[in-house]
Amino acid sequence: MRKHTIAVIVENRPGVLSRVSGLFSRRGYNIHSLAVGTTEDENLSRMTIVVAGDDDILEQITKQLYKLIDVVRVYELSNISAVDRELVLIKVAANEATRPEIQQIVDIFRAKIVDLGENALIVEATGDSEKIDALENMLKKYGIKEMVRTGKVSLARSEETK
Amino acid sequence: MELTGAQALLESLKKEGVEVVFGLPGGQTLPLYDAMYHEKGIKHILVRHEQGAGHAADGYARATGKVGVCFATSGPGATNLVTAIANAHMDSIPMIAITGQVGTPFLGKDSFQEVDITGITLPITKHNYLVKDAAQIPYVVKEAFHIASTGRPGPVLIDLPKNLQVAKIDFKYPDSISMPAYKPTYHGHPKQIAAAAKLIDKAEKPMIYAGGGVIASGASKEVFELATKISAPVTTTLLGKGAFQETHPLSLGMLGMHGTVYANYAVTECDLLIAIGARFDDRVTGRIEHFAPKAKVVHIDIDPAEIGKNVSVDVPIVGDVKNVLSALNNHVKAKDPHSEWVAQVLSWKEKHPLCYKSGGGLKPQAVIEEIYRITKGEAIVVTEVGQHQMWAAQYYKYSQPRTFISSGGLGTMGFGLPAAMGAQVGMPDKIVLNIAGDGSIQMNIQELNTLVNNKLPVIVVILNNKYLGMVRQWQELLHGRRYSHTDLDDNPDFVKLAQAYGAQAFRVDKFEEIEKVMKKAIAKRDCPTVIDFVVEREENVFPFVSPGQAINEMIVD
């Protein structure tokens, strides 16, 4: 099943997140990731949702979302040229021996070490989901103690009319 | 004008044309009911259980086409509305439920009689509100009525904390509201209408499948025009009953699981299916890949999410059914009323009529047919859910919209009696029948008390087979006659029970007595009547399409 990225612009009202997430769970659609944040208009919030499903399911999701009174606009970003970003914080086990190797990997990925301790360090990185996956893979062998990813956010490129 | 929140709510309801509400007070609606004490413009029907208030508001809405309104207090009052709200949601009925809530300082603290009713009703309302600012009350009411009654209708819940009911606000009812995100499509796209007309003109075996959307939209006249112009037989869903005169030669009655043989044959053989305000429910389609296998499909609905949800559609038209059909009717060419197709359908009708075996005890189907004859088909028939519901759908013929009222999507036993009450309140001069089973009637029988107190002449027809009959039928046909927990042999004496409530009551076990008793019931205009019809215990509803079968594979006896 293909992954789709959809942007859902909603009115900034109490309960709107549970309305949207509840819709996904009760209709049996799987959310891969969900990121919510403010937008250029203080009355609106933007949810970026990554969901797996064929085109029919995506069409139903879109239509069902539009039935929610607080949903202003829904559009798919996977079919158009868009900038995708995710932020990740990874706490990796590190000692004096492994630290230089990790530093090298971090540099190659243009990531940053933002916290350093005796036995571990925290790497911060942003990028598209593939880059984050690759970084995660490279760091795995040192031992990932904890990790958090924000979920994808996405904006259509300027020349796209959406 | 300075008003309390409670007064502002009542003023707002009157601005929306509300004349009656169904409700039951409690701790968190005391201020609201205090305002009701002096209220002259709104009639309040005091029910005996909040579920009754919800279904009554629903029945009122179905009978009148207006928005039904119910009140309940917080906590258990609100949760008692839940089934009624879900019922209205499944059948797209415009309804406003107003619940009291604990005061805002007590919210989220597990206070006495606090439940998160907006959370609970999230998936079963079209929209809901927890009001946090008394000044918002008029806006919320205005929005709620707009949402409930426009587009695809549905229930809206307003949860109103007690402290807001007493708060003072400067009341002004808004003239308009701005809801940029909510814009239903009312007019079909001209290109789609033209495409549909082309398919219709080409079709040799066109067929109309009409649902509850025709009634919601008030489009029976347009359906009639289309059907007669293109000589297409018309089948309806349970909720579409009354959308097309069932006495008309082109009427095939209901389709689906308990549909007529000829409707199911016709759907299977047609080359064009015009679905109008219907949603291809599993009780209609049976095994979906065998549904209308030879047909192209035109689907007209106001809700875009219904298009393509269950079946793929050749020409979708999103819009209000009435608008779309009046445009479409101008585009299509008339067809020969004596076509081979029409002749074929008429011969199926003649060869496979609805039937039941006579002999033995009182037949429930015969009771319905006789009541149809006596009421001249002019009653409003409200049903519960089960075998009696299907017999009422099959053997009473409906000619007017809003005369058959039944719980379709949710299948709620206990719907009928309170819904009949709502229908009678909305249509005081009509004969309102509640056709019930002995199982269903016991699920909201307390509302007999409300009917008596309000002098509402609903006629309750109990087809009493001392079984949870539809479940028993499935056990007989699909579970080796193992009647697990469906025997209601120890039912109460419904005549005595009804009399204890103050209703007029009769028992009938012979066909010949039906007319006399029904006439007594019809003559009584200031009190409900309960008639306990002692019917054949193991009578089944036929035709019957087993779940998962194609609809042309019916068991007929």
Side-chain angles (χ1 to χ4, degrees):
Chain A
M1 270 193 294
R2 242 188 90 199
K3 274 192 200 169
H4 300 270
T5 306
I6 50 177
V8 185
I9 312 296
V10 297
E11 299 227 31
N12 209 346
R13 291 194 191 170
V16 65
L17 178 60
S18 58
R19 285 182 202 282
V20 171
S21 61
L23 172 76
F24 277 79
S25 64
R26 74 172 175 273
R27 298 230 174 231
Y29 311 138
N30 267 328
I31 296 183
H32 260 265
S33 76
L34 166 73
V36 196
T38 52
T39 65
E40 70 287 357
D41 181 339
E42 60 176 1
N43 298 315
L44 301 178
S45 292
R46 183 183 176 105
M47 299 182 182
T48 310
I49 303 175
V50 180
V51 59
D54 55 29
D55 289 349
D56 287 347
I57 290 186
L58 187 77
E59 188 184 329
Q60 259 299 305
I61 291 175
T62 307
K63 286 168 164 180
Q64 293 293 344
L65 281 168
Y66 267 119
K67 284 178 75 169
L68 298 176
I69 305 294
D70 291 335
V71 169
V72 180
R73 231 171 121 202
V74 182
Y75 49 92
E76 197 191 351
L77 290 159
S78 2
N79 289 339
I80 58 173
S81 174
V83 178
D84 298 336
R85 286 295 179 269
E86 233 190 303
L87 181 135
V88 66
L89 295 173
I90 309 176
K91 190 187 285 174
V92 196
N95 53 34
E96 276 174 36
T98 56
R99 207 173 288 146
E101 290 177 34
I102 295 174
Q103 177 70 56
Q104 227 176 5
I105 294 169
V106 165
D107 288 344
I108 291 167
F109 278 90
R110 294 174 199 278
K112 274 190 289 188
I113 295 176
V114 291
D115 181 65
L116 190 60
E118 269 311 280
N119 306 312
L121 51 82
I122 297 179
V123 177
E124 174 199 312
T126 56
D128 59 27
S129 300
E130 290 69 31
K131 172 180 158 183
I132 305 292
D133 289 345
L135 175 63
E136 190 190 325
N137 262 332
M138 290 304 292
L139 294 176
K140 237 178 213 162
K141 69 171 178 189
Y142 302 101
I144 293 177
K145 292 165 158 261
E146 267 187 284
M147 183 179 81
V148 58
R149 292 171 72 153
T150 55
K152 180 153 88 173
V153 295
S154 205
L155 274 186
R157 290 187 185 276
S158 320
E159 61 269 26
E160 292 280 350
T161 47
K162 294 232 172 181
Chain B
M1 181 169 43
E2 197 184 64
L3 295 179
T4 66
Q7 290 166 335
L9 175 69
L10 297 183
E11 285 308 310
S12 304
L13 293 180
K14 284 191 281 184
K15 294 277 187 194
E16 291 298 330
V18 174
E19 292 162 358
V20 59
V21 301
F22 303 86
L24 192 139
Q28 305 306 326
T29 50
L30 275 166
L32 173 59
Y33 275 86
D34 199 41
M36 275 309 277
Y37 191 74
H38 300 286
E39 180 55 59
K40 298 274 187 289
I42 301 175
K43 189 174 177 183
H44 181 270
I45 306 276
L46 172 64
V47 297
R48 296 298 177 269
H49 185 296
E50 289 89 349
Q51 189 186 352
H55 290 319
D58 179 325
Y60 176 87
R62 291 187 206 227
T64 61
K66 298 180 203 164
V67 179
V69 183
C70 57
F71 287 172
T73 190
S74 66
T79 55
N80 278 345
L81 285 181
V82 167
T83 302
I85 293 170
N87 189 75
H89 188 247
M90 283 293 260
D91 289 349
S92 309
I93 303 304
M95 180 169 121
I96 304 284
I98 294 167
T99 49
Q101 180 55 283
V102 299
T104 47
F106 299 97
L107 274 173
K109 301 198 188 301
D110 302 319
S111 308
F112 179 64
Q113 294 193 331
E114 179 189 0
V115 295
D116 172 15
I117 196 62
T118 46
I120 290 171
T121 58
L122 207 71
I124 53 165
T125 48
K126 188 169 172 188
H127 195 53
N128 63 21
Y129 298 87
L130 168 57
V131 187
K132 293 266 187 75
D133 170 8
Q136 287 297 311
I137 291 171
Y139 297 92
V140 167
V141 172
K142 179 104 184 160
E143 269 190 26
F145 273 82
H146 180 65
I147 292 168
S149 60
T150 56
R152 179 177 181 174
V156 178
L157 178 134
I158 302 172
D159 198 21
L160 192 59
K162 189 176 187 179
N163 59 329
L164 306 192
Q165 298 172 31
V166 293
K168 292 273 183 0
I169 69 161
D170 185 22
F171 177 79
K172 190 177 169 289
Y173 202 64
D175 300 322
S176 63
I177 35 163
S178 153
M179 297 185 66
Y182 176 71
K183 289 210 172 62
T185 306
Y186 288 106
H187 292 278
H189 195 288
K191 266 193 189 153
Q192 295 300 96
I193 290 172
K198 217 167 144 188
L199 276 189
I200 291 170
D201 289 343
K202 267 205 328 226
E204 285 170 10
K205 303 174 178 178
M207 160 114 192
I208 293 171
Y209 148 49
V214 174
I215 290 167
S217 162
S220 341
K221 196 178 122 245
E222 287 74 12
V223 169
F224 181 83
E225 277 170 20
L226 178 65
T228 47
K229 188 167 181 187
I230 66 169
S231 295
V234 182
T235 183
T236 71
T237 66
L238 186 73
L239 291 192
K241 286 203 155 268
F244 186 78
Q245 294 87 322
E246 295 194 303
T247 46
H248 193 281
L250 285 172
S251 168
L252 304 185
M254 184 169 73
L255 79 167
M257 182 173 274
H258 293 296
T260 60
V261 172
Y262 36 95
N264 287 348
Y265 278 0
V267 171
T268 306
E269 290 303 318
C270 70
D271 67 357
L272 177 69
L273 188 68
I274 309 165
I276 310 176
R279 61 186 176 87
F280 297 87
D281 175 71
D282 56 275
R283 286 298 188 265
V284 159
T285 62
R287 190 164 167 192
I288 197 126
E289 48 290 9
H290 293 195
F291 182 72
K294 301 173 182 169
K296 296 222 180 240
V297 176
V298 172
H299 191 182
I300 307 168
D301 204 286
I302 197 158
D303 180 0
E306 285 305 337
I307 309 266
K309 186 181 79 177
N310 293 338
V311 300
S312 61
V313 172
D314 297 282
V315 179
I317 310 177
V318 175
D320 184 81
V321 163
K322 190 180 176 78
N323 292 335
V324 172
L325 286 183
S326 33
L328 182 63
N329 287 346
N330 289 331
H331 271 69
V332 295
K333 296 194 188 88
K335 287 187 193 288
D336 175 14
H338 306 291
S339 67
E340 244 176 78
W341 170 237
V342 172
Q344 168 73 82
V345 168
L346 292 178
S347 89
W348 281 327
K349 251 181 114 165
E350 207 177 295
K351 226 186 272 173
H352 309 283
L354 281 168
C355 62
Y356 55 94
K357 292 192 183 88
S358 49
L362 185 58
K363 294 283 176 174
Q365 302 94 326
V367 174
I368 304 289
E369 282 181 326
E370 183 67 351
I371 290 175
Y372 171 65
R373 186 185 67 79
I374 294 162
T375 56
K376 304 185 189 76
E378 287 168 358
I380 295 178
V381 174
V382 187
T383 77
E384 307 284 347
V385 168
Q387 287 185 311
H388 68 275
Q389 175 191 30
M390 291 300 118
W391 289 319
Q394 291 173 333
Y395 290 95
Y396 202 103
K397 306 288 168 219
Y398 303 90
S399 291
Q400 292 294 323
R402 304 192 180 283
T403 58
F404 179 73
I405 294 175
S406 196
S407 166
L410 196 66
T412 313
M413 292 170 70
F415 166 79
L417 185 64
M421 170 165 81
Q424 186 78 77
V425 168
M427 305 298 255
D429 301 327
K430 281 278 197 173
I431 297 171
V432 177
L433 304 175
N434 167 218
I435 295 182
D438 49 303
S440 287
I441 193 64
Q442 297 186 65
M443 289 207 182
N444 270 314
I445 200 162
Q446 76 286 344
E447 300 311 328
L448 269 180
N449 199 201
T450 313
L451 290 169
V452 169
N453 286 341
N454 290 280
K455 299 186 171 14
L456 294 165
V458 169
I459 302 171
V460 182
V461 170
I462 304 175
L463 299 179
N464 186 353
N465 54 16
K466 298 188 189 171
Y467 273 122
L468 294 167
M470 188 58 96
V471 184
R472 186 210 57 75
Q473 172 172 342
W474 282 48
Q475 289 172 336
E476 179 188 334
L477 300 175
L478 307 171
H479 295 273
R481 299 184 73 97
R482 291 182 296 279
Y483 293 169
S484 181
H485 300 276
T486 41
D487 195 326
L488 301 182
D489 198 31
D490 50 2
N491 268 332
D493 180 331
F494 289 114
V495 171
K496 281 189 188 156
L497 188 59
Q499 285 166 343
Y501 274 116
Q504 168 176 244
F506 305 97
R507 177 165 296 116
V508 174
D509 52 15
K510 288 186 198 65
F511 183 84
E512 300 70 36
E513 296 166 3
I514 299 175
E515 179 158 12
K516 195 178 75 197
V517 168
M518 276 303 293
K519 287 205 162 146
K520 276 190 200 163
I522 290 165
K524 191 88 178 158
R525 293 308 288 170
D526 59 352
C527 165
T529 301
V530 174
I531 312 173
D532 183 23
F533 287 94
V534 181
V535 297
E536 275 276 301
R537 289 200 73 193
E538 299 204 7
E539 192 66 23
N540 285 332
V541 179
F542 291 121
F544 173 55
V545 179
S546 289
Q549 295 294 312
I551 59 168
N552 60 339
E553 294 164 23
M554 288 158 278
I555 306 171
V556 289
D557 57 22

